Amino acid sequence: MNFFTKVDLPTTDFKIDYNSRLAFFGSCFADNISSQFESRKFHTLANPFGTVYNPISLESQVKTIANGKVFGEDDVFQDTRCDGLWHCWDAHSSLSGATKEECIAKLNAATAQARNFLRKTDVIFITLGSAFVYYLKDSGKPVSNCHRQDPALFERRMISVEEAASAICEIVENLRKIKNQTRIASPSARNDVARFTSDNTPRIVFTVSPLRHMSDGAHNNTLSKATLQLAVDKVVKCGTEIAATTYFPSYEIVMDELRDYRFYSDDMIHLSKAAEEYIFERMVETYCNDTTRENMAKVEKFLKMANHRIQDESSPATQQLKKKIASQAAELEKQIPGLPLR
């Protein structure tokens, strides 16, 4: 007897392994899933400009990376209301700085790092969380982060399906642009960069965050999620010659397989660790073959030993354990191509 509706997983024509380079953009759900891969020692990049929830703001961030934008004084502002820090409307406060120069340097470093990583990325996961967008009233510019500024500076509205779909198409186009900027020095490098697609087009997996935005009210949250679902569906179903786009049903898995508040945190909005682990398992089931799953189990077992808390650094037992860890790390790296343990 089945006590819940099992969501069908998509079929894929590619698989992820330890040689894969994975990029994650979007809401805090994207951060959670990327950390699952990162903790198992996959090559990952997650939200170089910080968490972003809506497709309009994400389009701006990806365009910045694709164009290799160089940030300057016009791109930052000082918070004169509170702590005097310098911020950027397109980035999270983790890229803010005590001085204008520090903030600009962080932004340019993030752009360069993301561009270099994305040029050789195999799969890009994009998690959209909300169709609500903040715009600066004086310029109409969409912002990724309000940095706790005066609410009177902003207009907030829900974008349409057409606006969301247009932004998603631009995201796809700019990710393709980044991939095609790859400088290939040799046949072996070319094979490594284009392991999944011979024409060097990116593999992009869209998903809609199952985390609800209840501050908008239950009805507006439903409308917001539906807008994102329709926009993503429109782009994926229409198909594109510039990238291979697919959809992973994170939202549906939570709504149908985990429709119980025991899978939520204390605030009854964010997911519990068990729920995050379950969704990750479903992703691994979809995108990793048997060999990779076996390798992941080996890595998890090794890391459990390697992360064992040491009581006495100078004891003979500790020195013996360290030698054992180093030896097993070297052996695992030989067994699993692409695994970085040291």
Side-chain angles (χ1 to χ4, degrees):
M1 181 180 292
N2 292 326
F3 290 97
F4 64 90
T5 305
K6 196 83 169 180
V7 174
D8 292 334
L9 296 176
T11 58
T12 64
D13 60 352
F14 67 91
K15 294 296 179 182
I16 290 169
D17 59 29
Y18 274 99
N19 280 310
S20 304
R21 293 168 69 90
L22 313 176
F24 298 83
F25 288 92
S27 71
C28 52
F29 180 75
D31 292 323
N32 294 338
I33 295 300
S34 68
S35 68
Q36 296 279 359
F37 280 100
E38 183 180 7
S39 68
R40 292 164 174 85
K41 301 300 179 179
F42 282 83
H43 304 275
T44 64
L45 169 76
N47 282 330
F49 290 106
T51 306
V52 58
Y53 295 93
N54 70 81
I56 299 292
S57 296
L58 181 55
E59 174 198 351
S60 177
Q61 290 184 359
V62 174
K63 184 178 180 180
T64 291
I65 298 169
N67 292 339
K69 175 178 177 176
V70 178
F71 286 87
E73 294 185 1
D74 294 339
D75 300 302
V76 298
F77 68 93
Q78 188 174 25
D79 181 358
T80 57
R81 301 178 68 211
C82 184
D83 50 22
L85 291 176
W86 288 81
H87 305 289
C88 174
W89 294 121
D90 294 324
H92 186 261
S93 57
S94 58
L95 276 74
S96 299
T99 66
K100 175 171 52 180
E101 292 75 17
E102 180 187 358
C103 181
I104 292 172
K106 285 184 177 181
L107 293 165
N108 286 325
T111 303
Q113 178 194 20
R115 200 164 177 225
N116 290 335
F117 190 96
L118 287 170
R119 283 172 171 170
K120 295 179 286 185
T121 294
D122 297 303
V123 186
I124 303 162
F125 292 90
I126 295 177
T127 303
L128 301 174
S130 176
F132 281 97
V133 183
Y134 283 88
Y135 296 86
L136 287 171
K137 288 181 178 178
D138 62 354
S139 64
K141 171 185 170 59
V143 302
S144 299
N145 197 305
C146 295
H147 296 292
R148 300 183 180 181
Q149 297 303 293
D150 186 351
L153 294 174
F154 309 99
E155 174 194 2
R156 183 174 182 268
R157 68 176 178 87
M158 187 190 300
I159 59 175
S160 67
V161 173
E162 290 71 23
E163 288 175 298
S166 176
I168 293 169
C169 285
E170 285 297 313
I171 291 168
V172 172
E173 164 60 28
N174 279 300
L175 288 172
R176 181 204 62 82
K177 180 179 177 181
I178 295 169
K179 283 284 286 184
N180 286 345
Q181 292 168 350
T182 303
R183 291 174 293 180
I184 299 173
S186 67
S188 61
R190 178 165 58 250
N191 291 335
D192 180 63
V193 170
R195 288 190 307 120
F196 291 138
T197 49
S198 59
D199 56 358
N200 207 31
T201 58
R203 296 285 185 181
I204 303 173
V205 178
F206 288 99
T207 190
V208 171
S209 171
L211 275 67
R212 296 165 298 157
H213 291 243
M214 296 306 289
S215 59
D216 299 319
H219 182 56
N220 277 334
N221 174 72
T222 300
L223 293 176
S224 173
K225 299 293 187 183
T227 297
L228 299 175
Q229 292 276 9
L230 289 167
V232 170
D233 188 66
K234 184 176 182 180
V235 173
V236 172
K237 279 188 174 177
C238 286
T240 173
E241 296 179 357
I242 61 176
T245 57
T246 55
Y247 178 76
F248 181 80
S250 299
Y251 183 86
E252 291 79 1
I253 288 171
V254 172
M255 294 300 106
D256 286 289
E257 296 187 24
L258 305 180
R259 54 162 64 199
D260 190 302
Y261 276 106
R262 69 172 181 243
F263 295 113
Y264 287 81
S265 296
D266 291 342
D267 62 5
M268 298 300 158
I269 294 175
H270 290 83
L271 299 180
S272 67
K273 187 164 184 61
E276 292 174 0
E277 289 278 356
Y278 180 78
I279 296 171
F280 175 73
E281 289 175 7
R282 297 287 269 157
M283 294 187 79
V284 168
E285 185 181 346
T286 303
Y287 299 110
C288 299
N289 61 23
D290 291 341
T291 299
T292 301
R293 291 197 287 269
E294 290 171 4
N295 287 337
M296 289 172 64
K298 293 177 183 178
V299 171
E300 289 170 3
K301 182 179 179 180
F302 167 80
L303 291 174
K304 186 176 182 179
M305 177 190 69
N307 293 330
H308 180 77
R309 192 168 73 175
I310 294 174
Q311 299 290 342
D312 183 1
E313 284 281 349
S314 61
S315 71
T318 296
Q319 300 308 311
Q320 186 176 1
L321 175 62
K322 286 184 176 181
K323 289 180 180 178
K324 181 180 178 181
I325 291 172
S327 175
Q328 289 194 12
E331 183 60 29
L332 272 180
E333 287 179 335
K334 290 179 182 178
Q335 293 178 15
I336 306 174
L339 174 65
L341 284 178
R342 294 173 295 171

